[in-house]
Amino acid sequence: LAMASQTVIMIQPQFSAAQQPGEWQTGLLNACSDCGICLCGMFCFLCLNCQVAGDMDECCLCGSSVAMRTLYHTKYNIPVNFCSIWCCSPCALCQLKRHINRRRVMGIF
């Protein structure tokens, strides 16, 4: 009866995928890049709020919240700037919707 030699693995192989920091594809005040979203955000904020929430499979009441934007920041590794939410909520929501639309066109949303 021959015994096969057994190798004992002492260290497991590691896989590290450090995600590169992301960035917004349009600026906070870059309303002209999509006038339809801008008009919707300025004159029907709640409608745009519900569209964004629907895009992210979240409750309509959460669309413009800090939690919703934080979720998006985390998912796409975009640096957080909460001042944009508190100083100009419509602009921040429009920026988020433009980013979602562009990612969807690129097939990465």
Side-chain angles (χ1 to χ4, degrees):
L1 188 68
M3 290 202 135
S5 107
Q6 295 181 350
T7 303
V8 177
I9 298 174
M10 301 298 285
I11 300 174
Q12 293 293 322
Q14 299 289 320
F15 177 74
S16 175
Q19 189 177 11
Q20 295 296 319
E23 59 185 41
W24 292 108
Q25 296 182 12
T26 62
L28 182 65
L29 301 176
N30 195 1
C32 294
S33 65
D34 191 320
C35 292
I37 290 175
C38 179
L39 292 172
C40 187
M42 294 302 156
F43 298 109
C44 193
F45 183 78
L46 294 177
C47 296
L48 187 59
N49 189 33
C50 288
Q51 286 178 22
V52 168
D55 289 341
M56 296 184 66
D57 295 325
E58 295 291 333
C59 171
C60 185
L61 300 175
C62 300
S64 64
S65 72
V66 172
M68 178 70 72
R69 195 157 168 107
T70 301
L71 173 70
Y72 197 82
H73 282 276
T74 303
K75 183 174 182 178
Y76 295 108
N77 198 27
I78 298 171
V80 180
N81 180 359
F82 290 113
C83 289
S84 64
I85 299 169
W86 293 316
C87 293
C88 189
S89 292
C91 294
L93 188 61
C94 289
Q95 181 187 39
L96 180 56
K97 180 63 176 165
R98 286 191 308 268
H99 200 260
I100 289 171
N101 287 353
R102 288 179 181 216
R103 290 188 77 84
R104 189 172 276 145
V105 166
M106 295 175 0
I108 54 174
F109 179 72

